[in-house]
Amino acid sequence: MTDVSKQKKPDPCTFVIFGVTGDLTHRLVIPALYNLAAADLLPDKFCVVGIARTAMSHDDLCESLMTGLRKFATRPVDDAIAKRLLGCLTPVAADTSDPNSFDRLKEQLEKLEAKRSTGGNRLFYLATPPNAFAPITRGLGRAGLLKEEGGAWRRLVIEKPFGTDLASAKALNAEILKIVDEHQIYRIDHYLGKETVQNILVLRFANGMFEPIWNRNHIDHIQITVGEKLGVGHRGSFYDSTGALRDMVPNHLFQLLSLVAMEPPAKFDAHSVRTEKAEVLAAIQTQSEEEALQNSVRGQYQAGKIGDTEIEDYRETEDVKAGSTTETYAALKLVIDNWRWAGVPFYLRTGKALGVKRTEVAIKFKQAPFAMFRDTPVDRLSQNYLVISIEPTEGITLQFNTKVPGPVISIDGVEMKFRYKDYFKVEPATGYETLIYDCMIGDNILFQRADSVEAGWQAVQPFLDAWKKAGAKGLERYKAGGEGPAAAEELLKRDGRNWRKLG
Ligand code: BG6
């Protein structure tokens, strides 16, 4: 977590990127390294090794990364800084299915480390498709590249998706943990790189006034929304075998849920924070498949218009199977079985091709117990919400009732708003800077531990199973550009509640 005291330079190290020619490297990893270089937060002794399947010259790789940087940088690119960063780069061709490649890589790394005096500290960043995570880790392990020795650290950074269900996540954890220790693994969820997401901890635990009411006695329910305007675009092949639930819920939405619902950690360190997060995820009630069907909604977008942009029908998207039943919208009702949250539903929704982009956590407080003011029935009072906004505006809003000026008592709902940008001057960033910096300084507080990942999959598994069996039954087609499937409204109406409007 970023704080001023942490603005120290990381140890010397070699940053090894598997998948250097890929989209993630171009879009996020290099722009984030650039921002760290611009903030003078890269190690003084540093080198980047870019691994790709086919051999590439230094110039060609630099040119490609530079093009990416110009396109995706979050601030104007200073050529001198970019040149210095790319000057540290060594391309290496390696076929990761061939064990000999890792022996060769070891020799190359040792030579480079001697030349650049990086002291043998290595960070292996797997910016690859998920099916390469286990083979690469095996290859690195076999060649002895992950063994921490002589005071040097060895770290492994793994992107999402971590598994595709509970069984595959467990198998991947088991396989990787045979090779490296948990403290060496950094499972990235980019939501934890977002300032406002990190701020949930500060809001709850650096202020005395929220925690006493942060429980079932005062909170009616919690809504977590990640609504996106974009459709699936060119990711048809990945998305069609993944769907909204796998793509967003056990990772991003559960990060939000666990930060909002966790117990206060004893200390602000990786062990304590990650233990509390894992505990609360493990306390999500495992539903039967029948309950899962009742407590969920699936949707898939049809053609529509968002602003001036025409969105094609999901089923017409390149690389999406004809007649696909993959969901592009998912809404779930979950309950957490512990003393703090018993009886407080958590409603989660996420969808693509909606009319509005909005990521927020809305905490709905209970109504005032009786209508003290004449002619004001309790249910006519506006609702008390505390809304933590993550996208597109970063901030916090409190909704409450107030007296309308005038001789008679008349009540209306108003909002008190805090916006990050009104108080702090923050350089635009990719969100990966904090995460990459934390990997280099060895702080894994913002990374997922094996038990959290598995607890997340455990909670969504009944939904995956029930939906698979149901096939097309229960999948509602919704028009792109709207609020999503009508059944999602019903999910809350049935409980006498409603979603906050997206628009
Ligand atoms: C990614 C998903 O992990 O998160 C994408 O694979 C999704 O489908 C993205 O669009 C959302 O991230 P953000 O930061 O834009 O909310």
Side-chain angles (χ1 to χ4, degrees):
M1 175 156 302
T2 314
D3 85 36
V4 274
S5 63
K6 234 170 70 172
Q7 306 290 300
K8 61 170 191 189
K9 286 210 172 195
D11 297 337
C13 75
T14 304
F15 194 100
V16 184
I17 308 176
F18 283 88
V20 74
T21 53
D23 180 59
L24 180 73
T25 304
H26 285 73
R27 215 161 29 86
L28 289 163
V29 180
I30 296 294
L33 284 175
Y34 171 85
N35 286 347
L36 287 171
D40 200 19
L41 284 174
L42 287 182
D44 288 328
K45 290 171 182 153
F46 183 60
C47 57
V48 181
V49 171
I51 300 190
R53 191 168 260 277
T54 44
M56 256 184 133
S57 72
H58 180 263
D59 287 355
D60 287 349
L61 182 56
C62 283
E63 195 185 314
S64 155
L65 294 176
M66 194 63 197
T67 310
L69 183 60
R70 289 200 198 290
K71 186 162 167 204
F72 299 111
T74 56
R75 55 182 92 170
V77 176
D78 177 327
D79 279 347
I81 298 174
K83 249 181 142 174
R84 238 187 354 262
L85 173 66
L86 296 178
C88 304
L89 178 74
T90 304
V92 167
D95 172 0
T96 50
S97 60
D98 170 11
N100 296 326
S101 304
F102 292 92
D103 294 325
R104 284 195 296 273
L105 175 63
K106 187 173 186 195
E107 280 168 31
Q108 284 162 307
L109 283 180
E110 282 166 358
K111 273 193 206 141
L112 207 61
E113 284 164 356
K115 194 165 136 201
R116 303 269 186 153
S117 313
T118 54
N121 296 322
R122 296 172 193 153
L123 191 150
F124 296 99
Y125 197 116
L126 310 192
T128 61
N131 58 5
F133 297 162
I136 293 178
T137 310
R138 269 198 303 272
L140 291 170
R142 236 187 258 123
L145 283 159
L146 288 166
K147 196 154 174 246
E148 298 197 303
E149 53 196 353
W153 50 255
R154 307 280 148 88
R155 296 178 188 144
L156 190 65
V157 184
I158 304 181
E159 276 289 336
K160 86 172 253 281
F162 196 92
T164 53
D165 57 14
L166 179 58
S168 59
K170 277 188 167 173
L172 185 55
N173 272 330
E175 170 124 41
I176 292 176
L177 284 165
K178 269 193 250 155
I179 303 161
V180 279
D181 187 78
E182 181 65 51
H183 81 268
Q184 296 173 267
I185 309 173
Y186 291 71
R187 297 177 192 81
I188 282 203
D189 184 313
H190 79 272
Y191 264 52
L192 287 176
K194 294 178 190 273
E195 285 293 343
T196 355
V197 173
Q198 295 174 27
N199 190 40
I200 297 174
L201 281 180
V202 178
L203 176 80
R204 289 190 56 196
F205 304 128
N207 295 297
M209 64 190 183
F210 295 115
E211 206 44 31
I213 53 168
W214 211 261
N215 56 47
R216 64 192 302 274
N217 300 328
H218 301 279
I219 292 178
D220 176 72
H221 74 274
I222 292 184
Q223 298 184 9
I224 301 180
T225 300
V226 180
E228 298 184 89
K229 276 185 172 176
L230 292 178
V232 166
H234 297 296
R235 299 166 75 217
S237 156
F238 159 77
Y239 198 86
D240 205 39
S241 59
T242 303
L245 181 60
R246 283 191 173 90
D247 189 34
M248 300 296 289
V249 177
N251 32 63
H252 307 327
L253 276 84
F254 278 6
Q255 289 303 334
L256 301 175
L257 179 145
S258 55
L259 292 172
V260 167
M262 70 195 269
E263 292 302 312
K267 280 196 229 150
F268 188 61
D269 63 18
H271 172 76
S272 311
V273 172
R274 301 199 304 173
T275 299
E276 294 304 343
K277 285 175 69 187
E279 286 276 315
V280 76
L281 289 176
I284 297 176
Q285 196 176 88
T286 307
Q287 308 196 14
S288 66
E289 286 180 26
E290 203 179 308
E291 287 166 332
L293 280 183
Q294 277 164 15
N295 290 327
S296 67
V297 170
R298 288 183 295 156
Q300 186 188 64
Y301 66 82
Q302 293 171 305
K305 218 172 169 191
I306 304 180
D308 291 335
T309 315
E310 300 279 355
I311 303 270
E312 64 184 348
D313 189 312
Y314 173 72
R315 290 181 178 167
E316 309 284 313
T317 310
E318 186 190 339
D319 296 330
V320 166
K321 284 189 290 312
S324 163
T325 57
T326 299
E327 80 288 352
T328 60
Y329 180 104
L332 312 180
K333 174 183 173 184
L334 300 176
V335 286
I336 296 179
D337 283 338
N338 65 19
W339 279 54
R340 184 187 287 265
W341 296 118
V344 179
F346 283 68
Y347 299 104
L348 276 55
R349 61 179 165 169
T350 181
K352 297 226 179 264
L354 302 177
V356 172
K357 177 166 175 66
R358 169 91 64 82
T359 301
E360 67 172 35
V361 178
I363 294 122
K364 162 86 171 37
F365 289 93
K366 291 190 170 168
Q367 295 282 34
F370 76 103
M372 190 169 84
F373 300 104
R374 246 181 307 139
D375 303 328
T376 316
V378 172
D379 58 7
R380 262 192 31 224
L381 293 177
S382 95
Q383 316 198 351
N384 286 155
Y385 272 109
L386 178 72
V387 182
I388 302 165
S389 310
I390 294 147
E391 295 259 7
T393 336
E394 294 186 299
I396 295 170
T397 304
L398 183 63
Q399 291 183 354
F400 56 100
N401 290 300
T402 196
K403 179 182 171 300
V404 178
V408 287
I409 293 275
S410 166
I411 296 177
D412 203 359
V414 292
E415 290 186 339
M416 214 151 69
K417 281 190 178 163
F418 153 72
R419 287 210 181 95
Y420 254 80
K421 67 174 172 39
D422 297 339
Y423 282 79
F424 304 108
K425 188 178 165 337
V426 195
E427 290 278 3
T430 62
Y432 265 57
E433 293 76 6
T434 312
L435 298 174
I436 290 180
Y437 175 79
D438 283 357
C439 294
M440 289 193 287
I441 62 163
D443 181 354
N444 44 21
I445 204 165
L446 292 178
F447 296 83
Q448 299 231 76
R449 211 168 55 187
D451 51 353
S452 293
V453 172
E454 291 176 16
W457 282 115
Q458 164 96 34
V460 298
Q461 191 64 49
F463 297 92
L464 292 174
D465 294 340
W467 291 1
K468 190 168 171 202
K469 283 190 195 145
K473 202 165 152 235
L475 177 80
E476 183 181 326
R477 307 259 288 147
Y478 62 93
K479 203 162 178 240
E483 292 245 336
E489 292 301 329
E490 285 308 311
L491 184 71
L492 268 71
K493 265 212 184 106
R494 201 172 78 189
D495 294 347
R497 301 185 171 104
N498 47 275
W499 291 107
R500 277 169 44 81
K501 282 266 157 258
L502 279 178

